[in-house]
Amino acid sequence: MLLSSSSTRVAARMGVKMLARGIGQTAHYHGPLLQLCCPSSSSAGFTAPTSLFSATNTTTTTTSTVRGTQERWMQRFESESIPEPETSIVNIIAHVLDLSGPGEVGNHQNSALNEAQMAKIEQLCQCRLARMPIQYIVREWDFRDLTLKMVPPVFIPRPETEELVELILQQMDTQRETLFLEIGCGTGAISLSLLKHAPKSSAIAIDQSRYACELTRENAETVGLHERLRIFKHKVVDDLPAELGGQQFDMIVSNPPYVPSVLIPTLDPEVKIYEDLRALDGGNDGLTVIKAILRIAGRHLAKDGVLWLEVDSTHPPIIEEFLSKHGELMGLRFLASYKDLFQKDRFVEIAKL
């Protein structure tokens, strides 16, 4: 869960600059707005007033081309200081036209849009003006080679976490029977990516959010991996759910909350309004949940098992020092830290003694 507000990584699927996946207590999103933009999302029960956007409605009764609509909304987003305006409008147009991906929009620049398409683009662009993340607006996003459903307020996976999965797969025997645990599964991105590329593996995923558990289950069914994944709703404090009391794992992986509480109010609107801040808030020093995971790893990792963590760039030396003092008692040894695409220490590998 990276604290930066934008990523410079280029997404091959998009062909344009990726929208910020910076980090973004449950998010205090606006129910009516969310119901309008994501009518089947977890905001069910809210009804959007039909006049919500009437004052700013710019839809006309005439048809327009994709090029004209894209240019008009890019200018509008730029004037409103919306991050990554091109990515925003290109993704929205691709979604409304039901294209295979944003990269296809360039092939339809001279295509005419009908009134229904124009109205839908207008509606979704208003959601972007309200700083709703584009992933929630289009309701899906690519994570490595998976396309996963995105529903607010479930935490949106970031590109740095794709690096974590790649790092694990490089060092994992993907043809070996492996049981792993993911703590804080969110959309299920990490577990599902690992399960897809390690066909003999099985996993247990836990999250404190009911919405996250439901979304992980739905994504697992969509990509056909649900038979190898068990999901538990559970808040990590000191241990796993009672049903897993004696369970041992070959590997534990987590992208836990690691943002210091004092920094939560400084996060971008896309994050602090819409995403579940419990997936971000790591306590006073950002290490509260990380230390709980270390305790769990000490009890539930099998001998020579491995714990993988995505952490704040300031955390690896702190974790290494902590384990140099307490690791022998916990049965854990700090192995290494690894840098992300920004050359910041982002990933930690820890072994069970």
Side-chain angles (χ1 to χ4, degrees), residues 88-103:
S88 298
I89 183 56
V90 167
N91 272 274
I92 287 171
I93 291 174
H95 175 70
V96 171
L97 298 185
D98 197 25
L99 302 179
S100 60

Side-chain angles (χ1 to χ4, degrees), residues 26-317:
T26 301
H28 302 291
Y29 50 80
H30 300 291
L33 175 64
L34 189 56
Q35 180 68 12
L36 181 63
C37 300
C38 306
S40 60
S41 75
S42 57
S43 63
F46 290 107
T47 302
T50 57
S51 61
L52 182 61
F53 294 133
S54 59
T56 56
N57 193 335
T58 58
T59 303
T60 65
T61 58
T62 61
T63 59
S64 178
T65 64
V66 168
R67 184 189 309 277
T69 300
Q70 181 175 332
E71 291 176 351
R72 178 167 66 87
W73 277 106
M74 275 186 60
Q75 293 172 1
R76 178 71 184 278
F77 288 156
E78 289 171 351
S79 70
E80 299 281 347
S81 299
I82 300 300
E84 303 188 12
E86 181 181 8
T87 296
S88 298
I89 183 56
V90 167
N91 272 274
I92 287 171
I93 291 174
H95 175 70
V96 171
L97 298 185
D98 197 25
L99 302 179
S100 60
E104 287 294 307
V105 172
N107 299 327
H108 297 267
Q109 290 292 291
N110 296 322
S111 299
L113 298 170
N114 60 38
E115 291 185 18
Q117 291 168 334
M118 290 288 288
K120 186 62 175 177
I121 290 171
E122 165 78 20
Q123 181 187 74
L124 299 184
C125 284
Q126 293 291 348
C127 295
R128 187 69 191 108
L129 286 173
R131 302 299 290 268
M132 178 176 282
I134 193 67
Q135 294 92 335
Y136 290 156
I137 293 173
V138 303
R139 297 183 58 75
E140 66 178 23
W141 206 249
D142 283 355
F143 185 89
R144 301 185 82 247
D145 53 355
L146 295 174
T147 299
L148 302 176
K149 183 176 180 180
M150 302 284 148
V151 176
V154 180
F155 184 77
I156 299 167
R158 273 58 168 177
E160 291 75 18
T161 306
E162 297 181 49
E163 293 183 87
L164 173 62
V165 171
E166 183 64 30
L167 186 62
I168 293 171
L169 289 173
Q170 288 173 2
Q171 302 194 36
M172 181 181 181
D173 183 352
T174 57
Q175 297 306 312
R176 173 174 169 261
E177 290 188 5
T178 301
L179 174 63
F180 69 87
L181 168 71
E182 182 185 4
I183 297 176
C185 56
T187 62
I190 293 176
S191 286
L192 297 177
S193 290
L194 293 173
L195 288 171
K196 179 176 182 180
H197 292 277
K200 295 183 179 180
S201 65
S202 57
I204 292 174
I206 64 175
D207 201 292
Q208 66 180 319
S209 165
R210 174 172 61 87
Y211 298 131
C213 292
E214 291 173 353
L215 186 56
T216 291
R217 182 173 290 106
E218 182 175 352
N219 279 328
E221 291 173 353
T222 298
V223 300
L225 295 169
H226 56 286
E227 292 184 355
R228 292 193 281 135
L229 178 64
R230 296 169 63 197
I231 303 165
F232 291 84
K233 180 185 179 299
H234 178 74
K235 181 177 181 179
V236 171
V237 179
D238 285 310
D239 212 339
L240 299 180
E243 302 96 312
L244 303 176
Q247 185 68 61
Q248 296 285 290
F249 298 93
D250 302 300
M251 179 175 69
I252 298 175
V253 58
S254 182
N255 178 15
Y258 61 64
V259 180
S261 300
V262 69
L263 296 180
I264 295 296
T266 70
L267 300 179
D268 288 343
E270 284 85 352
V271 179
K272 63 186 178 184
I273 296 175
Y274 295 100
E275 291 194 83
D276 189 340
L277 298 184
R278 296 176 300 175
L280 297 156
D281 192 339
N284 291 336
D285 56 3
L287 290 164
T288 299
V289 179
I290 291 173
K291 289 180 179 178
I293 293 172
L294 290 175
R295 293 191 294 270
I296 289 171
R299 288 191 286 267
H300 292 278
L301 267 180
K303 189 178 186 307
D304 299 323
V306 180
L307 167 65
W308 289 95
L309 295 171
E310 180 176 333
V311 299
D312 183 79
S313 60
T314 63
H315 286 161

